[in-house]
Amino acid sequence: MQQMMRAQFSSGCASLFDFVVTALMFRYTGSNYVVCTIVGAVAGGILNCGINYRWTFGGTGKSKKSIAWRYVVVWIGSILFNMWGVTLLVWLATPAGCPVQLTTLMYSKIAVAVIVALSWNFTMQKRWVYKV
């Protein structure tokens, strides 16, 4: 139970960082929302990996290199699921010819992030990346 709580805390920190990076980039650079989603996910993923390696799943006895390549594989899956999910929800919520609104992007991102975190990230990290 303690490990699950730590994983949720780590995920929350990473998600917050991901969302802030995504929102700031979308708002102030004018970049496409898909690009912003990917950049945010990369930023959050780096933070999540560091917290999980040191604190959540610490003591696995595995080398950083062993953890890193597995994490990258899972992370790529997570980024793709998030990108596809956000793209689908934004597309469904935005009328044709209208610009994407920041609120639409962020609500879509939150919904998809919860689904991906529960169905993919934690399970794959626990059972394959860190093999706890």
Side-chain angles (χ1 to χ4, degrees), residues 86 89-90 101-113:
V86 169
L89 291 182
V90 167
Q101 299 297 312
L102 180 59
T103 53
T104 303
L105 171 60
M106 297 314 293
Y107 286 138
S108 299
K109 190 163 178 63
I110 290 167
V112 172

Side-chain angles (χ1 to χ4, degrees), residues 1-14 48 51-52 55-57 118 122 125-126:
M1 183 59 134
Q2 182 181 17
Q3 187 177 64
M4 176 66 143
M5 296 303 292
R6 286 182 179 202
Q8 294 311 309
F9 178 78
S10 171
S11 178
C13 291
N48 184 257
I51 293 171
N52 282 342
W55 186 59
T56 306
F57 300 107
L118 295 175
F122 177 73
Q125 287 180 23
K126 181 176 174 108

Side-chain angles (χ1 to χ4, degrees), residues 36-111:
C36 297
T37 299
I38 293 169
V39 172
V42 168
I46 291 169
L47 180 63
N48 184 257
C49 186
I51 293 171
N52 282 342
Y53 183 81
R54 298 187 192 293
W55 186 59
T56 306
F57 300 107
T60 63
K62 297 193 180 327
S63 71
K64 288 180 183 178
K65 185 177 179 181
S66 171
I67 297 290
W69 80 265
R70 290 173 187 247
Y71 189 89
V72 167
V73 170
V74 172
W75 189 21
I76 289 169
S78 180
I79 289 169
L80 291 173
F81 289 138
N82 275 283
M83 180 187 65
W84 291 330
V86 169
T87 300
L88 176 64
L89 291 182
V90 167
W91 178 75
L92 291 171
T94 304
C98 294
V100 175
Q101 299 297 312
L102 180 59
T103 53
T104 303
L105 171 60
M106 297 314 293
Y107 286 138
S108 299
K109 190 163 178 63
I110 290 167

